[in-house]
Amino acid sequence: MKKIPQRTCIVCGNKIDKRNLVRVVKNKEGRIFFDPTGKANGRGAYLCGEDACIEGILKKNALNRAFKTDVAEEDKIRVMEEIKNGRK
Ligand SMILES: [Zn+2]
């Protein structure tokens, strides 16, 4: 049986169910965006898809920690919108 790689949510720390996996990428140009394909190049951060965790992008600065960079507030808001509009 093939082992499914598990990811840890950057906000709540729970192990993520693959169905709900939300991937956010920071590419080498420094652009941060929601990656619905899971295949975009760059450093990935994962969220479990709970609304509270998506809100944590803004409220808990989760992406700053995940990417070890100062993410602009407008980028956080944009990524949150991308996730809310783009996930199934
Ligand atoms: Zn979470």
Side-chain angles (χ1 to χ4, degrees), residues 8-16 46-50 52-54:
T8 302
C9 176
I10 59 171
V11 178
C12 67
N14 289 336
K15 291 276 188 272
I16 301 169
Y46 299 88
L47 293 116
C48 64
E50 295 293 329
C53 293
I54 293 165

Side-chain angles (χ1 to χ4, degrees), residues 72-86:
E73 186 153 321
E74 62 192 52
D75 286 334
K76 294 175 196 167
I77 292 166
R78 179 180 44 77
V79 168
M80 285 169 55
E81 291 298 318
E82 287 173 358
I83 293 168
K84 286 174 180 172
N85 294 333

Side-chain angles (χ1 to χ4, degrees), residues 1-20:
M1 215 168 91
K2 222 175 121 181
K3 209 179 166 202
I4 298 163
Q6 283 203 311
R7 304 295 185 183
T8 302
C9 176
I10 59 171
V11 178
C12 67
N14 289 336
K15 291 276 188 272
I16 301 169
D17 183 335
K18 216 182 163 210
R19 281 177 315 187
N20 299 327

